[in-house]
Amino acid sequence: RAHLPGKGIFQCSITGLSFEVKSAVTVTYRYATWTRHLSKDDQEMWVPAGPLFHIAVQPGVVRAVRLPHFICLAEHEDISPCFIAHFESGKMTLQRPTRLIAFHAVLENPSFSMLGVLWRRLRSTLHSFPMHSLVLIFQQLSAAQTTLHLYLIPDDNSVKQAVEKQERTWNSKLIPKPPPFSPLFFGCSYRVTSTRFVVITPNTELPFCYKSPKQQQLFVEIYISNMIEEEMRLLMTDTRNGTEVWRASLRSGRNSSTVTWAWCLLGAAFVKKHQAELCSRMSQLPTILLHLRDANVINSDEEEEVQRQDTSKRKNRVLLDLVKKKGPKAQEQLYQILQIKDPYLITDLEKSS
């Protein structure tokens, strides 16, 4: 429950849900469950592409609602399969979003009950359904030696919070980690391996799919019998072509039952090493700025500061300086955006080094 004090745009830092309101108003919202409201026939036709929310607010005050989604728009030229589901009195109606932006579907002049983003499931695109994703790793503090649980989930806060709640009951600690380097594909499986001998059960492959927060999420258990040795790495690869999509380093701490994750934010090192080349070669700046705005890395004033520069090289230099001042996480965000929007530039710069 939140009281919005006046006209403006407000975003919940926990759920990502955002409201544009005309005046002061109180909004009440909570997560709902897709599987409870989508019929079996609907589940054959539609894939959840973001959390489902139950929202209550005074009619006529909300100018627009921004519903979070985890669709990778950079990979989707055709966004026609995207709809907003509206459940009322047990019935589902579908609405086209007013516009679809990175990480949010915008619906103007909405009416409220339960709302969420859906994507139409097409047989022809079963394995071409790229999504933003998270890798969650937990260390079981009371388990033998070093035991980890590794999850691969869509970038959906409702699912993430459900996993964290479950793991707390198992006396587990969340280990900081990077997300995958690039969008992953619904309907595909990803293989977890290590540079050292570990035991991975029940098997090394994790399917990437949507499961309701109320359901047990899929994970692999990783057992490491001896962490005294030097650094090891965990890797994740696409089973279709062997492409590496994620990696993280692991070192032993002072206590051999405690591990330290060195995820080092590859983006910070990349930006520092290739700043001169990025200034002269980075393109598609409007799209990059849009993604950085939606990820809350920069604000509108900073975007205008970049756009005021009179040459593309100066715009790039100002943007890179802004991102570097905000720290490693901001640089990692820029790096991931470039991997999606200009992968050939990233590949060329990495090969040159």
Side-chain angles (χ1 to χ4, degrees):
R1 187 169 182 268
H3 178 71
L4 310 183
K7 180 180 179 181
I9 300 175
F10 302 86
Q11 179 167 306
C12 172
S13 60
I14 297 173
T15 64
L17 185 63
S18 178
F19 299 92
E20 181 180 353
V21 298
K22 302 174 185 177
S23 59
V25 70
T26 296
V27 296
T28 304
Y29 53 97
R30 60 177 171 81
Y31 288 127
T33 307
W34 282 110
T35 50
R36 185 176 296 175
H37 300 283
L38 281 176
S39 68
K40 288 186 177 181
D41 288 342
D42 286 335
Q43 290 179 45
E44 292 293 321
M45 184 178 299
W46 299 96
V47 179
L52 179 63
F53 293 95
H54 188 285
I55 304 170
V57 63
Q58 178 186 338
V61 180
V62 177
R63 189 186 306 276
V65 62
R66 296 186 179 192
L67 299 163
H69 69 75
F70 44 79
I71 308 163
C72 179
L73 299 183
E75 300 289 333
H76 283 297
E77 295 182 2
D78 178 16
I79 60 173
S80 62
C82 184
F83 287 84
I84 293 176
H86 186 181
F87 295 93
E88 200 167 23
S89 301
K91 295 183 179 180
M92 181 178 75
T93 57
L94 297 169
Q95 297 175 269
R96 287 281 187 188
T98 307
R99 61 186 182 278
L100 200 58
I101 58 177
F103 311 112
H104 287 90
V106 182
L107 183 63
E108 294 180 352
N109 302 314
S111 58
F112 291 105
S113 58
M114 282 186 289
L115 294 174
V117 182
L118 286 176
W119 193 268
R120 186 187 295 275
R121 189 194 300 268
L122 302 174
R123 291 182 182 275
S124 61
T125 58
L126 181 62
H127 294 296
S128 57
F129 197 48
M131 298 293 172
H132 296 295
S133 60
L134 297 173
V135 176
L136 300 182
I137 299 182
F138 295 83
Q139 181 181 3
Q140 285 201 287
L141 301 179
S142 57
Q145 297 296 324
T146 302
T147 302
L148 308 175
H149 289 170
L150 185 149
Y151 297 79
L152 179 59
I153 62 171
D155 189 0
D156 181 326
N157 281 341
S158 65
V159 177
K160 179 175 182 286
Q161 290 160 24
V163 171
E164 290 174 337
K165 182 179 179 180
Q166 175 66 76
E167 285 288 342
R168 281 196 296 270
T169 68
W170 295 340
N171 191 27
S172 299
K173 175 186 177 183
L174 177 65
I175 306 297
K177 76 296 167 205
F181 307 143
S182 58
L184 303 187
F185 291 79
F186 269 7
C188 294
S189 292
Y190 296 86
R191 181 174 292 111
V192 180
T193 57
S194 172
T195 55
R196 273 184 34 207
F197 177 75
V198 298
V199 179
I200 301 177
T201 56
N203 57 61
T204 61
E205 292 185 13
L206 270 173
F208 182 47
C209 60
Y210 179 87
K211 290 178 73 70
S212 166
K214 297 292 185 181
Q215 298 175 301
Q216 173 63 58
Q217 303 296 316
L218 302 174
F219 67 90
V220 296
E221 182 176 88
I222 303 170
Y223 174 70
I224 308 168
S225 61
N226 185 354
M227 274 303 298
I228 297 177
E229 297 180 23
E230 294 183 358
E231 175 181 303
M232 62 170 284
R233 283 189 175 188
L234 288 179
L235 311 171
M236 189 179 295
T237 55
D238 190 326
T239 57
R240 298 173 300 172
N241 50 29
T243 302
E244 183 179 310
V245 297
W246 175 86
R247 64 180 175 267
S249 297
L250 179 64
R251 303 185 183 99
S252 61
R254 292 183 181 178
N255 181 339
S256 62
S257 66
T258 303
V259 299
T260 303
W261 283 85
W263 52 293
C264 299
L265 291 173
L266 300 174
F270 180 86
V271 171
K272 181 179 180 180
K273 188 169 189 176
H274 299 290
Q275 182 167 354
E277 293 91 340
L278 290 171
C279 281
S280 59
R281 298 178 60 185
M282 193 163 60
S283 59
Q284 305 185 56
L285 191 63
T287 304
I288 293 171
L289 291 171
L290 172 64
H291 281 270
L292 291 173
R293 278 279 311 273
D294 284 328
N296 295 317
V297 174
I298 62 172
N299 57 39
S300 57
D301 292 337
E302 291 167 330
E303 182 180 11
E304 289 178 9
E305 180 184 354
V306 174
Q307 295 285 29
R308 278 199 301 268
Q309 307 307 310
D310 56 0
T311 67
S312 59
K313 189 171 183 177
R314 287 178 181 173
K315 290 178 180 179
N316 289 342
R317 182 180 295 113
V318 170
L319 175 59
L320 290 169
D321 288 343
L322 280 171
V323 171
K324 286 178 68 178
K325 287 178 183 177
K326 292 175 184 285
K329 288 187 178 181
Q331 294 169 66
E332 179 69 20
Q333 188 71 45
L334 174 61
Y335 176 65
Q336 291 188 30
I337 291 168
L338 287 173
Q339 281 191 315
I340 296 170
K341 300 305 298 179
D342 202 347
Y344 295 106
L345 174 60
I346 297 292
T347 301
D348 187 59
L349 292 179
E350 288 180 336
K351 282 183 177 179
S352 69
S353 60

